[in-house]
Amino acid sequence: MMHTTPVNPNATPEATALLQYLHDIAGTKLIAGQHTQTNPMEEVAYIETVTGKSPKLCGFELLAYSPNIRMEDASEACRVEVEENRNTMDTALRWANETGGIVTLTFHWFSPLGGHDKSFYTEHTNFDAERVLHDGTPERAAFFHDLDAIAVQLQRFQDAKIPVLWRPFHEAEGTWFWWGAKGAEVAKQLYLLMYEYYVHHYHFDHLLWVWNSRLPEGYPGDDFVDVVSVDVYLPHYEATDYAADYQSLIAASNANKVAALAEVGFLPDAALLAKSKIPWAYFMTWSKEFCIGETYNTKQRLKDVYNHERVLSQKPVLTK
């Protein structure tokens, strides 16, 4: 039995309708999505220029809202990324209101304590995620301090009645981010702490909870996940429906949940998906060079995907 009602029993009508929509189209249609890290949304403008269509789903980034960003000893690359990402929630709200498109949020969370440079990366911080799980630790206090800061931004979407595909602690199967550095079990407990706080303390009923891993020991459980998802960056292009990734994802979670390609480097092949009917509800191509230019996705493949009868997009919004 496909899970079509949100795990939060108090989910807003808008969130409930969005999950139902994702369920209804999965396997027959595919929502085209694009991550965009900057306020000009140059990836979306590029897609519109190349294809005449615009993504129906857009991903926005919260990293610049991290409370513990230390610009004084940050690299140039870090400073540029933070500056480019400032005020992205203003852009997300405006885009959602103007287009009716689907919003998904990613949070490259600078470590709540310590760290330097891009401290969402494990290599740049000594923050111990496991200590968040223990009462009375500075790590736990800092963790909730940051949740309060991000709640201010999430509240804006609830006030505007905009549902959000909320994908915290992404790629928790790996150790490259601090939330995955102590293993998938710790990442799962962090997810559950956040879920409890945001659903029962803040009453954020507009969030659909997107789990983003493929390790069974990291799965928070059916009662806490609306959408199961995976990020896939192939080493080189091949025409694919990402079937093997789907199988590994549902083996780690539940085949009755809506499934998504939360990040891809290479576009899925819409013609292959039309044959295999692998039930991805949406894909989201990553930003910058993964979209713009032809290093990863050629203009022809972009056209092929966005103009395929199975793929759901919308009319141009930036170049109209």
Side-chain angles (χ1 to χ4, degrees):
M1 178 67 186
M2 181 66 78
H3 297 186
T4 57
T5 55
V7 290
N8 177 357
N10 298 312
T12 63
E14 295 82 12
T16 302
L18 176 55
L19 187 62
Q20 183 68 52
Y21 174 68
L22 296 177
H23 159 258
D24 289 348
I25 59 103
T28 59
K29 300 286 187 181
L30 178 68
I31 295 167
Q34 178 60 50
H35 188 63
T36 178
Q37 294 210 44
T38 65
N39 293 302
M41 298 180 71
E42 64 261 36
E43 296 88 355
V44 174
Y46 178 81
I47 290 167
E48 291 177 355
T49 299
V50 171
T51 71
K53 307 277 181 72
S54 195
K56 189 176 183 66
L57 174 147
C58 267
F60 298 87
E61 175 62 64
L62 276 154
L63 71 82
Y65 296 89
S66 300
N68 186 36
I69 299 173
R70 295 167 54 174
M71 294 292 266
E72 64 275 8
D73 59 0
S75 65
E76 179 65 15
C78 178
R79 287 196 295 271
V80 168
E81 188 164 11
V82 171
E83 289 301 332
E84 283 188 342
N85 278 275
R86 288 206 190 281
N87 305 315
T88 46
M89 294 305 100
D90 297 351
T91 302
L93 283 159
R94 185 171 63 250
W95 179 84
N97 278 317
E98 290 178 359
T99 70
I102 301 166
V103 170
T104 182
L105 298 182
T106 303
F107 185 21
H108 285 81
W109 184 350
F110 282 67
S111 63
L113 288 176
H116 66 282
D117 205 49
K118 297 185 184 183
S119 65
F120 44 85
Y121 287 127
T122 303
E123 65 180 319
H124 293 314
T125 186
N126 58 2
F127 186 77
D128 186 341
E130 198 272 334
R131 287 179 55 79
V132 173
L133 308 181
H134 300 291
D135 286 332
T137 62
E139 289 82 2
R140 188 178 180 92
F143 179 84
F144 281 100
H145 168 271
D146 285 13
L147 290 189
D148 289 335
I150 297 306
V152 173
Q153 300 306 320
L154 295 178
Q155 182 68 52
R156 299 171 68 189
F157 292 86
Q158 178 146 294
D159 292 346
K161 293 185 165 52
I162 295 168
V164 171
L165 289 162
W166 174 237
R167 186 175 65 111
F169 309 113
H170 66 290
E171 299 176 12
E173 76 272 16
T175 58
W176 44 89
F177 297 132
W178 62 258
W179 50 88
K182 288 298 181 81
E185 173 65 34
V186 169
K188 174 176 77 175
Q189 295 304 324
L190 297 178
Y191 178 107
L192 291 169
L193 273 181
M194 178 191 280
Y195 180 91
E196 177 71 22
Y197 196 53
Y198 277 170
V199 170
H200 299 297
H201 176 75
Y202 276 102
H203 303 288
F204 285 159
D205 300 328
H206 63 308
L207 304 179
L208 292 176
W209 289 80
V210 182
W211 180 65
N212 184 236
S213 182
R214 60 172 111 197
L215 293 180
E217 61 269 30
Y219 186 55
D222 290 345
D223 292 342
F224 304 98
V225 174
D226 292 304
V227 176
V228 296
S229 71
V230 68
D231 296 359
V232 189
Y233 290 91
L234 299 173
H236 51 79
Y237 176 75
E238 56 183 276
T240 180
D241 55 7
Y242 291 102
D245 299 288
Y246 175 77
Q247 295 302 332
S248 67
L249 174 62
I250 63 167
S253 54
N254 188 328
N256 292 323
K257 295 286 184 181
V258 168
L261 287 162
E263 290 180 29
V264 291
F266 294 108
L267 291 161
D269 189 293
L272 282 177
L273 277 166
K275 294 174 186 170
S276 68
K277 295 184 168 53
I278 299 294
W280 298 117
Y282 62 89
F283 71 86
M284 184 179 81
T285 313
W286 198 242
S287 54
K288 304 283 190 177
E289 71 274 12
F290 289 99
C291 172
I292 298 170
E294 304 210 51
T295 305
Y296 288 91
N297 293 294
T298 65
K299 290 180 178 179
Q300 188 57 54
R301 286 202 295 272
L302 206 56
K303 291 177 186 175
D304 290 346
V305 170
Y306 272 81
N307 290 298
H308 195 279
E309 60 184 8
R310 283 176 59 90
V311 174
L312 298 170
S313 58
Q314 57 184 357
K315 293 177 182 176
V317 294
L318 299 182
T319 59
K320 59 190 175 186

Coordinates of all heavy atoms in Angstrom, one line a residue, residues 37-77:
Q37 N 21.8 27.8 -6.6 CA 22.4 28.3 -5.4 C 22.5 29.8 -5.3 O 22.8 30.3 -4.2 CB 23.9 27.8 -5.3 CG 23.9 26.3 -5.2 CD 25.2 25.9 -4.4 OE1 25.5 26.5 -3.4 NE2 25.9 24.9 -4.8
T38 N 22.1 30.5 -6.3 CA 22.3 32.0 -6.3 C 21.0 32.7 -6.6 O 20.1 32.1 -7.3 CB 23.3 32.4 -7.3 OG1 22.9 32.1 -8.7 CG2 24.7 31.7 -7.1
N39 N 20.9 33.9 -6.2 CA 19.7 34.6 -6.4 C 19.3 34.9 -7.9 O 18.1 34.9 -8.2 CB 19.7 35.9 -5.6 CG 19.7 35.6 -4.1 OD1 18.8 35.0 -3.6 ND2 20.7 36.0 -3.4
P40 N 20.2 35.1 -8.8 CA 19.9 35.2 -10.2 C 19.3 33.9 -10.8 O 18.7 34.0 -11.9 CB 21.2 35.6 -10.9 CG 22.1 36.1 -9.8 CD 21.7 35.4 -8.6
M41 N 19.5 32.8 -10.1 CA 18.9 31.5 -10.6 C 19.4 31.3 -12.1 O 18.6 31.0 -13.0 CB 17.4 31.4 -10.5 CG 16.9 31.6 -9.1 SD 15.1 31.5 -9.0 CE 14.8 29.8 -9.4
E42 N 20.7 31.4 -12.3 CA 21.2 31.4 -13.7 C 21.0 30.0 -14.3 O 20.9 29.9 -15.5 CB 22.7 31.8 -13.7 CG 23.6 30.8 -13.0 CD 24.0 31.3 -11.6 OE1 23.1 31.9 -10.9 OE2 25.2 31.1 -11.1
E43 N 20.9 29.0 -13.5 CA 20.7 27.6 -14.1 C 19.3 27.6 -14.7 O 19.1 27.0 -15.8 CB 20.8 26.5 -13.0 CG 22.1 26.4 -12.4 CD 22.4 27.3 -11.2 OE1 21.5 28.1 -10.9 OE2 23.4 27.2 -10.6
V44 N 18.3 28.2 -14.1 CA 17.0 28.2 -14.6 C 16.9 29.0 -15.9 O 16.3 28.6 -16.9 CB 16.0 28.7 -13.6 CG1 14.6 28.8 -14.2 CG2 15.9 27.7 -12.4
A45 N 17.5 30.1 -15.9 CA 17.6 31.0 -17.1 C 18.2 30.2 -18.3 O 17.8 30.3 -19.4 CB 18.3 32.3 -16.8
Y46 N 19.3 29.5 -18.0 CA 20.0 28.7 -19.0 C 19.0 27.6 -19.6 O 18.9 27.4 -20.8 CB 21.2 28.0 -18.4 CG 22.0 27.2 -19.3 CD1 22.9 27.7 -20.2 CD2 21.9 25.8 -19.3 CE1 23.6 26.9 -21.1 CE2 22.6 24.9 -20.1 CZ 23.5 25.5 -21.0 OH 24.2 24.7 -21.8
I47 N 18.4 26.9 -18.7 CA 17.4 25.8 -19.1 C 16.4 26.4 -20.0 O 16.0 25.9 -21.1 CB 16.8 25.1 -17.9 CG1 17.9 24.2 -17.2 CG2 15.6 24.2 -18.4 CD1 17.5 23.7 -15.9
E48 N 15.8 27.6 -19.6 CA 14.8 28.2 -20.4 C 15.3 28.6 -21.8 O 14.6 28.4 -22.8 CB 14.2 29.4 -19.6 CG 13.5 29.0 -18.4 CD 13.0 30.2 -17.6 OE1 13.3 31.4 -17.9 OE2 12.3 30.0 -16.6
T49 N 16.5 29.1 -21.8 CA 17.0 29.6 -23.1 C 17.3 28.4 -24.0 O 17.0 28.4 -25.2 CB 18.4 30.3 -22.9 OG1 18.1 31.5 -22.1 CG2 19.0 30.7 -24.2
V50 N 17.7 27.3 -23.5 CA 18.1 26.1 -24.3 C 16.8 25.3 -24.7 O 16.7 24.8 -25.8 CB 19.0 25.2 -23.5 CG1 19.2 23.8 -24.2 CG2 20.4 25.8 -23.3
T51 N 15.8 25.2 -23.8 CA 14.7 24.2 -24.0 C 13.4 24.9 -24.2 O 12.5 24.3 -24.7 CB 14.6 23.3 -22.8 OG1 14.0 24.1 -21.7 CG2 15.9 22.6 -22.4
G52 N 13.2 26.2 -23.8 CA 11.9 26.8 -23.9 C 11.0 26.4 -22.8 O 9.8 26.8 -22.8
K53 N 11.5 25.6 -21.8 CA 10.8 25.2 -20.7 C 11.5 25.6 -19.4 O 12.7 26.0 -19.5 CB 10.6 23.6 -20.7 CG 10.0 23.0 -22.0 CD 8.5 23.1 -22.0 CE 8.0 22.5 -23.3 NZ 8.1 21.0 -23.3
S54 N 10.8 25.5 -18.3 CA 11.4 25.8 -17.0 C 11.2 24.7 -16.0 O 10.2 24.0 -16.1 CB 10.8 27.1 -16.4 OG 11.6 27.6 -15.4
P55 N 12.1 24.5 -15.1 CA 11.9 23.4 -14.1 C 10.6 23.6 -13.3 O 10.3 24.7 -13.0 CB 13.1 23.4 -13.2 CG 14.1 24.3 -13.9 CD 13.3 25.2 -14.8
K56 N 9.9 22.5 -13.0 CA 8.7 22.5 -12.2 C 9.1 22.5 -10.7 O 8.3 22.9 -9.9 CB 7.8 21.4 -12.5 CG 6.4 21.4 -11.9 CD 5.5 20.3 -12.4 CE 4.1 20.4 -11.8 NZ 3.4 21.6 -12.3
L57 N 10.3 22.0 -10.4 CA 10.8 21.9 -9.0 C 12.1 22.6 -9.0 O 13.0 22.5 -9.9 CB 11.0 20.4 -8.6 CG 11.6 20.1 -7.3 CD1 11.0 18.9 -6.7 CD2 13.1 19.9 -7.4
C58 N 12.3 23.5 -8.0 CA 13.6 24.1 -7.8 C 14.1 23.9 -6.4 O 13.4 23.9 -5.4 CB 13.5 25.6 -8.0 SG 13.9 26.1 -9.7
G59 N 15.4 23.6 -6.3 CA 16.1 23.5 -5.1 C 16.8 24.7 -4.7 O 17.5 25.4 -5.5
F60 N 16.7 25.1 -3.4 CA 17.4 26.3 -2.9 C 18.2 25.9 -1.7 O 18.0 24.9 -1.0 CB 16.3 27.3 -2.5 CG 15.5 27.8 -3.6 CD1 14.3 27.1 -4.0 CD2 15.9 28.9 -4.4 CE1 13.6 27.6 -5.1 CE2 15.1 29.4 -5.5 CZ 14.0 28.7 -5.8
E61 N 19.2 26.7 -1.4 CA 20.3 26.4 -0.5 C 20.2 27.3 0.8 O 20.2 28.5 0.6 CB 21.6 26.5 -1.2 CG 22.8 26.3 -0.3 CD 22.9 24.9 0.3 OE1 23.0 23.9 -0.5 OE2 22.8 24.8 1.5
L62 N 20.3 26.7 1.9 CA 20.3 27.4 3.2 C 21.7 27.7 3.8 O 21.8 28.3 4.9 CB 19.5 26.6 4.2 CG 17.9 26.8 4.2 CD1 17.3 25.6 4.7 CD2 17.5 28.0 4.9
L63 N 22.7 27.3 3.2 CA 24.1 27.4 3.8 C 24.4 28.7 4.4 O 25.0 28.8 5.5 CB 25.1 26.8 2.9 CG 25.7 27.6 1.7 CD1 26.7 28.7 2.1 CD2 26.3 26.6 0.7
A64 N 24.0 29.8 3.7 CA 24.4 31.1 4.2 C 23.7 31.5 5.5 O 24.0 32.5 6.1 CB 24.2 32.2 3.1
Y65 N 22.7 30.8 5.8 CA 21.9 31.0 7.1 C 22.5 30.3 8.3 O 22.0 30.4 9.4 CB 20.5 30.7 6.9 CG 19.7 31.5 5.9 CD1 19.7 31.1 4.5 CD2 19.1 32.7 6.2 CE1 19.1 31.9 3.6 CE2 18.4 33.4 5.3 CZ 18.4 33.0 3.9 OH 17.8 33.8 3.0
S66 N 23.6 29.5 8.1 CA 24.3 28.9 9.2 C 24.8 29.9 10.1 O 25.4 30.9 9.7 CB 25.5 28.1 8.6 OG 25.1 27.1 7.7
P67 N 24.5 29.8 11.4 CA 24.9 30.8 12.4 C 26.5 30.8 12.6 O 27.0 31.9 12.9 CB 24.2 30.4 13.7 CG 23.0 29.6 13.3 CD 23.5 28.9 12.0
N68 N 27.1 29.7 12.4 CA 28.6 29.6 12.8 C 29.5 29.7 11.5 O 30.3 28.8 11.3 CB 28.8 28.4 13.6 CG 30.2 28.3 14.1 OD1 30.8 29.3 14.5 ND2 30.8 27.1 14.2
I69 N 29.3 30.7 10.7 CA 30.2 30.9 9.6 C 31.3 31.9 10.0 O 31.1 33.0 10.5 CB 29.5 31.5 8.4 CG1 28.4 30.6 7.9 CG2 30.4 31.8 7.2 CD1 27.4 31.1 6.8
R70 N 32.6 31.4 9.8 CA 33.7 32.2 10.3 C 34.4 32.8 9.0 O 35.3 32.2 8.5 CB 34.7 31.4 11.1 CG 34.0 30.9 12.4 CD 34.8 29.8 13.1 NE 36.2 30.2 13.3 CZ 37.0 29.4 14.0 NH1 36.6 28.3 14.6 NH2 38.3 29.8 14.2
M71 N 34.0 33.9 8.6 CA 34.5 34.5 7.4 C 35.9 35.0 7.5 O 36.7 35.1 6.6 CB 33.6 35.7 7.0 CG 32.2 35.3 6.6 SD 32.1 34.4 5.0 CE 31.8 35.7 3.9
E72 N 36.4 35.3 8.8 CA 37.7 35.9 9.0 C 38.8 34.9 8.6 O 39.9 35.4 8.2 CB 37.9 36.3 10.5 CG 37.8 35.2 11.5 CD 36.4 34.8 11.9 OE1 35.5 35.3 11.3 OE2 36.3 34.0 12.9
D73 N 38.6 33.6 8.7 CA 39.6 32.7 8.2 C 39.1 31.7 7.1 O 39.6 30.6 6.9 CB 40.2 31.8 9.4 CG 39.1 31.0 10.1 OD1 37.9 31.1 9.7 OD2 39.5 30.3 11.1
A74 N 38.1 32.2 6.4 CA 37.6 31.4 5.3 C 38.4 31.6 4.0 O 39.0 32.7 3.8 CB 36.1 31.8 5.0
S75 N 38.4 30.6 3.2 CA 39.0 30.7 1.9 C 38.2 31.6 1.0 O 37.0 31.9 1.2 CB 39.2 29.3 1.3 OG 37.9 28.8 1.0
E76 N 38.8 32.0 -0.1 CA 38.1 32.8 -1.1 C 36.9 32.0 -1.6 O 35.8 32.6 -1.8 CB 39.1 33.2 -2.3 CG 38.4 34.0 -3.4 CD 38.0 35.4 -2.9 OE1 38.4 35.8 -1.8 OE2 37.1 36.0 -3.6
A77 N 37.1 30.7 -1.9 CA 36.0 29.9 -2.4 C 34.8 29.9 -1.4 O 33.6 30.0 -1.8 CB 36.4 28.5 -2.7

